Amino acid sequence: MKPTAWSAKLWKASVKQFHEFLSPLVAGLGRSERRVAATRYVEGLLMPGARKSIIPMAERLGVDSQSLQQFVTDSPWSEEALWRAIRQEVIPHLEPLEAWVVDETGWVKQGSHSVGVSHQYCGAVGKQANCQVSVEVVVSDGWMAAPVGGRLYLPERWTQDRERSAAAGVPEGVEFATKPQLALAIIRQARHDGVPPAPVLGDSVYGINTEFRAGVRELGMEFFLQVDGHALKGWDHEVRTEVKRVRRYVRDGEPPAETLAELTRRIPEREWKNCSWVTAGRRTRRTRLVWREVFLQHDLRHAGGELEKVWLVVDWPAGDPEPYHYYLAHLHRPPTKARCLKLSRSRWHIEQYFQRSKDDLGLDHFEGRSWRGFHHHLVLSAAAYLFILVVYLRRKKNFWCDVGTDSPRDPALAGEIERTLSVLRSEVQTNSRRHDLT
């Protein structure tokens, strides 16, 4: 679904609604100075303008850049408290949820002092680059994506260099965590905060990770995760195993494990299901799907490990020499063609969030170097994106998305809203005069 084009005119028409939206989110930040500063920062991200770093935003808002800088980079408020408010105040308006999506996004950085910066793969440029990477989790109602958490990926070379980490403000207790570990921690916290379960979608970074899959199962959630068909081995039937000392081994006489790609090539032609769908560009696409229960051997390497029973789902368009994608799925009911097709095409919703947040809201414009500043900016950018999403839902759906209407009004924000309206009136009038001259 195409998102609403954001403009000064639409922003001006939505400012009073913004007050209602933001009040319950910033209520947990404490004293009024912080609540006002948070409001200004999110306003700056929403205000039209090419650059969304602190100094240009402060100039457009007509406020002191030093106070804005101090709030984002130094003030000791908890970004997790704001994420919790987002999960509990905003996400219920998107229910019922159809999926959770995990992924990471990166932005190119110069130098070596910004927290987490390293030469690593950067999806924004499609290759290795000097960049920062954050792991993000969104939920989707099938049309729109809404962020529920994000965390900086801190490469191991950073966690091993305590002096460098301390200079960037990394808390002392932070240890190295893989991207799947970060994503699972976000999912656990979001579930604890009441976000409803739905199938977890992700690419092969998450799909091939045994601990990630096990963690999602432990939460009672389903998953539908892309994998490399040559990276994992198993059987298409349960083989006999036995325990020797602390590990379980496949018994003699059982066939050797095969890759998922090898198992796929032995599936009879009659089991493949023809599928078609219409893209957003109104083009009809076709593929074939098949699913089989498989038993993976990977966990047998560990003490107490068992065969992992999971669905293998394969997407292989007719006539193509290789499958388009392999997936591992843990579902509470047997797969169906419609559900597999929909889940296999639903991961792109997180890209919608990344694109709008970077193109319109300055997600990748933050120039600070500290751990605290990075995570403060991340959650404030999410709040700005969610406000646009709420405005969109109010305009397009046949019910009101009334985030914050039941919360008491915050007197500290009332003056800030009037000041913002004054700035926007000037912006709209300036744009109107420019339009009249052309």
Side-chain angles (χ1 to χ4, degrees), residues 19-37:
H19 185 190
E20 293 176 344
F21 169 86
L22 205 63
S23 290
L25 302 188
V26 302
L29 297 185
R31 58 180 185 267
S32 62
E33 292 88 345
R34 286 183 187 169
R35 302 198 304 276
V36 169

Side-chain angles (χ1 to χ4, degrees), residues 356-375:
R356 162 144 279 182
S357 294
K358 290 182 178 182
D359 291 352
D360 296 344
L361 302 172
L363 176 63
D364 56 348
H365 293 186
F366 182 65
E367 296 175 350
R369 295 178 172 179
S370 72
W371 172 273
R372 176 178 286 166
F374 181 93
H375 287 96

Side-chain angles (χ1 to χ4, degrees), residues 70-84:
Q70 190 277 334
F71 167 74
V72 175
T73 60
D74 300 323
S75 183
W77 55 274
S78 168
E79 69 275 1
E80 189 54 42
L82 187 45
W83 278 120
R84 185 175 301 111

Side-chain angles (χ1 to χ4, degrees), residues 48-252:
R51 190 70 188 164
K52 299 296 178 76
S53 52
I54 287 176
I55 292 177
M57 287 199 305
E59 289 175 351
R60 285 190 287 271
L61 289 167
V63 301
D64 176 45
S65 63
Q66 294 258 348
S67 62
L68 216 54
Q69 180 86 39
Q70 190 277 334
F71 167 74
V72 175
T73 60
D74 300 323
S75 183
W77 55 274
S78 168
E79 69 275 1
E80 189 54 42
L82 187 45
W83 278 120
R84 185 175 301 111
I86 284 171
R87 295 163 189 154
Q88 296 177 344
E89 297 287 343
V90 182
I91 301 306
H93 292 270
L94 287 178
E95 295 178 28
L97 302 182
E98 289 201 359
W100 296 52
V101 190
V102 298
D103 203 352
E104 61 274 350
T105 188
W107 40 93
V108 176
K109 281 282 186 178
Q110 302 297 320
S112 60
H113 299 293
S114 294
V115 64
V117 72
S118 179
H119 192 74
Q120 56 192 322
Y121 180 78
C122 180
V125 293
K127 61 182 180 180
Q128 295 279 322
N130 203 55
C131 66
Q132 291 171 305
V133 172
S134 68
V135 173
E136 306 283 339
V137 179
V138 305
V139 294
S140 171
D141 65 351
W143 295 102
M144 311 294 287
V148 295
R151 175 81 177 269
L152 176 71
Y153 170 69
L154 200 61
E156 204 162 4
R157 62 177 64 91
W158 270 84
T159 57
Q160 292 173 346
D161 189 340
R162 291 300 179 184
E163 186 176 343
R164 186 187 189 194
S165 293
V170 178
E172 200 168 310
V174 174
E175 301 289 343
F176 173 71
T178 64
K179 293 169 185 175
Q181 286 173 331
L182 294 175
L184 187 56
I186 295 170
I187 293 171
R188 283 181 176 139
Q189 188 58 57
R191 285 290 295 120
H192 181 266
D193 292 336
V195 181
V200 176
L201 315 181
D203 64 20
S204 59
V205 170
Y206 307 92
I208 65 170
N209 190 280
T210 304
E211 291 75 21
F212 181 79
R213 297 195 305 270
V216 174
R217 284 182 191 254
E218 288 170 5
L219 290 169
M221 299 174 71
E222 300 174 298
F223 61 70
F224 195 93
L225 302 166
Q226 185 182 330
V227 292
D228 181 342
H230 302 277
L232 298 173
K233 288 187 173 184
W235 297 265
D236 57 7
H237 61 281
E238 190 168 8
V239 295
R240 296 173 302 149
T241 61
E242 59 184 350
V243 177
K244 297 180 181 179
R245 302 186 70 177
V246 297
R247 280 183 55 188
R248 186 173 292 278
Y249 294 83
V250 177
R251 285 188 176 182
D252 292 340

Side-chain angles (χ1 to χ4, degrees), residues 67-68 101 113 183 204 230 246 299 310 314-315 318 333 340 366 385 398 408 434:
S67 62
L68 216 54
V101 190
H113 299 293
S204 59
H230 302 277
V246 297
D299 207 34
V310 67
V314 186
D315 180 341
R333 60 182 188 273
C340 288
F366 182 65
Y385 171 85
N398 58 358
R434 287 175 184 160

